[in-house]
Amino acid sequence: MSTQIRWPDPYVTQALEAVTGASPLVFGLTNYITAGLNANMVLAVGASPAIGGNPAAVKPLATAAGGVWINLAAMVTDSPELLREAARAAHEAGTRWVLDPVTVGAGIPVSDDLAADLLRDTPPTAIRGNASEIIALAGGLASSKGVDSTATSEEAVPLAKVLARRTGAVVAVSGPTDYVTDGTEVVAVPGGHRWLTRVTGAGCSLGALVAAFLAPGTDPLRATVAAHAVLAEAAGRAAETARGTGTFAASVLDELSLLSGI
Amino acid sequence: MSTQIRWPDPYVTQALEAVTGASPLVFGLTNYITAGLNANMVLAVGASPAIGGNPAAVKPLATAAGGVWINLAAMVTDSPELLREAARAAHEAGTRWVLDPVTVGAGIPVSDDLAADLLRDTPPTAIRGNASEIIALAGGLASSKGVDSTATSEEAVPLAKVLARRTGAVVAVSGPTDYVTDGTEVVAVPGGHRWLTRVTGAGCSLGALVAAFLAPGTDPLRATVAAHAVLAEAAGRAAETARGTGTFAASVLDELSLLSGI
Amino acid sequence: MSTQIRWPDPYVTQALEAVTGASPLVFGLTNYITAGLNANMVLAVGASPAIGGNPAAVKPLATAAGGVWINLAAMVTDSPELLREAARAAHEAGTRWVLDPVTVGAGIPVSDDLAADLLRDTPPTAIRGNASEIIALAGGLASSKGVDSTATSEEAVPLAKVLARRTGAVVAVSGPTDYVTDGTEVVAVPGGHRWLTRVTGAGCSLGALVAAFLAPGTDPLRATVAAHAVLAEAAGRAAETARGTGTFAASVLDELSLLSGI
């Protein structure tokens, strides 16, 4: 049983207004492939992004930020220890943070180990991933092809609930319909568009957006649902005018910036 | 004497259908400037990209992938040893791989040495570059301005044939007309647009696309020709509607995604 | 008292023609978030960009280039020593170079120290930043939120003049109106659009553009003013047709490429 929520439910619009009003600093560790799009997504909802793994800057930024996201694909350039340090700094400063377990379950042991450490030592406020990643993180059997999921979001919901209860984090699974759960409630977010899976980093942007929506102090379940609903709405609108995947990426940013009124 | 091939020759369209049908994982090492566009190009033809030099992930990804591309500009962030390891992993696993000799001949000795090592120790399935790079790689005298060519693609054809015969790789030279050779046959691919040289990473995307087209097992000459012909067609169509170089980049992705029907 | 200059003043258009005519190699060290956009901006005015911190390539490229820009946000991936080496290579080769003091004054001591060292040991030809950065670099008290300014460009002008006189560099402060000074004259550049602050790396692109405009030997004050005026004009035109921040970014590149006639 799940509730369905979508734009323009006030549950969503007010959470976006809180981001735009506060214009929080949001700090992320992610990889270079998606960093530009992720930063532009954060800017398009009126927040202020900083990204990157300079060891001297990680602690000050994770402490100063209103929200932090850590995408395990950051390990393309950053060491596991740096990611641990960022999570620790956020945890100790009481900064809400989001884990995006990209590559977990893809056969790269160092990713799996790091994710397990982070869940145990510095539990995140929210976790978002595709079905394969959430299933693998919850200890289920799933396979992925590189960074792409081979399971459906519906299949992942039961394990997402287990993961939420075990970690205390809100857990989101993205797919044709996204599902967000705190371990008890499950909220379905419809919408989006299949082209989101054909733009590199579009899924990863959800980690950044959830961090932005958490920053003003919004209830974690609501912040996570709202971030997904805003991107789903922007993607749906973008698909109406885009000719293909290239203009779609630009149009998603357009529609986000129009929804937030920046 | 050279054959001319272009979209919608079945030689090209069927090779694209093979990519879209197989949706192969394609793994690349390239630099951060071009990674986002390269990944989006691969996605736009229906394949699944992974990019990046995490030492723990290079071997598993190069082994699991259907095709690998190594762009020497990856040395912006990755060590020569890591690039060697990726080539070795692809070679040992029998994964077809593409060498893009960016910066060879630009006065950076470490690039030239690495390229020579890769050709000798772990010969690629295909090599693609601009005229200056192919001439330099074949041992000819050529100069380049940073990453841009100062020779024409026509001038490079004789040395491309020599290089192909010596290495066993298919060799492609991009320019206003692209030329692809296996050392015996030379195929000319017309089309494209000068704005491709005004979008960073558009040329580099050919390395990624050739890897995607090689992945389903298509004959290497045909796969390399088809990758060039598909990008040339997409660029020609994009130039008809684009206002300048910014919308052109988005439109090339649009047209690729429409040609592949994803 | 300040002069106001904007497109299509010949002071600006002729400086752009000098860039397009010379098509100089421009080398930059910046971070991976903004590298793609920065490179595309340089390409859109007809110059040839190279970006990146491969230690083996920094000295040859800084020597061969017509202009160099060093964005301190490069410290996301590069060491302070590498940035020092690039500045030293440019300085010794007589290559004009631009300092973009991103993150100075943001509470990251290593940035502040590096900026001070560069100003003293290898003084740049030009410095460009937002108000908070220029105030901090001049020794004033300013705070910034991550990479975003909390002061106005007008507030920074007096300290920009002090900084210019002390370093011998032309100093530019960007904001709704940009100001450029050589310590005596102050030139105001109106135009631009607020969306420039909502596209990641758009501000940073000014460092790259100033380096491109310096390359052909244009007077530093004029080159710096012209780079700002060209981007301001392109942004103003782009805002007329863009729907939101996504298409705006593509349209700025379009308009730059149309102004330069490449």
Side-chain angles (χ1 to χ4, degrees), chain C residues 10-249:
Chain C
Y11 186 85
V12 175
T13 58
Q14 290 168 5
L16 175 56
E17 283 161 20
V19 178
T20 311
S23 187
L25 175 64
V26 186
F27 173 60
L29 288 170
T30 185
N31 68 1
Y32 52 69
I33 310 161
T34 65
L37 183 64
N38 290 183
N40 281 329
M41 291 268 194
V42 168
L43 286 164
V45 297
S48 181
I51 294 177
N54 177 349
V58 161
K59 195 173 173 181
L61 284 171
T63 305
V68 168
W69 83 99
I70 297 178
N71 182 322
L72 297 193
M75 284 193 296
V76 164
T77 46
D78 301 322
S79 68
E81 190 41 53
L82 192 77
L83 276 61
R84 276 194 192 91
E85 188 183 326
R88 202 179 306 123
H91 187 68
E92 285 172 7
T95 308
R96 293 159 157 215
W97 79 277
V98 183
L99 174 66
D100 190 335
V102 172
T103 71
V104 167
I108 303 167
V110 68
S111 285
D112 299 1
D113 294 349
L114 174 60
D117 290 355
L118 294 176
L119 290 184
R120 186 191 59 231
D121 299 339
T122 53
T125 316
I127 301 167
R128 67 82 30 204
N130 67 32
S132 288
E133 293 154 1
I134 296 299
I135 291 171
L137 198 61
L141 293 174
S143 64
S144 62
K145 185 171 64 183
V147 300
D148 294 329
S149 183
T150 56
T152 68
S153 51
E154 284 74 17
E155 288 167 351
V157 170
L159 280 163
K161 291 178 75 172
V162 169
L163 185 62
R165 279 197 295 263
R166 205 169 68 210
T167 61
V170 168
V171 177
V173 188
S174 52
T177 295
D178 303 327
Y179 295 93
V180 185
T181 181
D182 59 5
T184 309
E185 269 194 275
V186 176
V187 180
V189 180
H193 192 273
R194 69 189 159 82
W195 278 343
L196 281 175
T197 66
R198 294 278 145 204
V199 174
T200 195
C204 295
S205 292
L206 279 166
L209 289 174
V210 171
F213 277 74
L214 285 169
T218 302
D219 166 71
L221 180 64
R222 183 176 186 172
T224 307
V225 168
H228 283 74
V230 165
L231 184 60
E233 178 69 13
R237 294 186 184 192
E240 287 170 24
T241 55
R243 177 168 164 81
T245 55
T247 48
F248 176 72

Side-chain angles (χ1 to χ4, degrees), chain A residues 37-78:
Chain A
L37 182 65
N38 290 182
N40 281 329
M41 291 269 192
V42 169
L43 286 164
V45 296
S48 181
I51 294 176
N54 178 350
V58 160
K59 194 173 174 181
L61 284 172
T63 305
V68 169
W69 84 99
I70 298 178
N71 181 323
L72 297 193
M75 282 192 296
V76 165
T77 47
D78 301 322

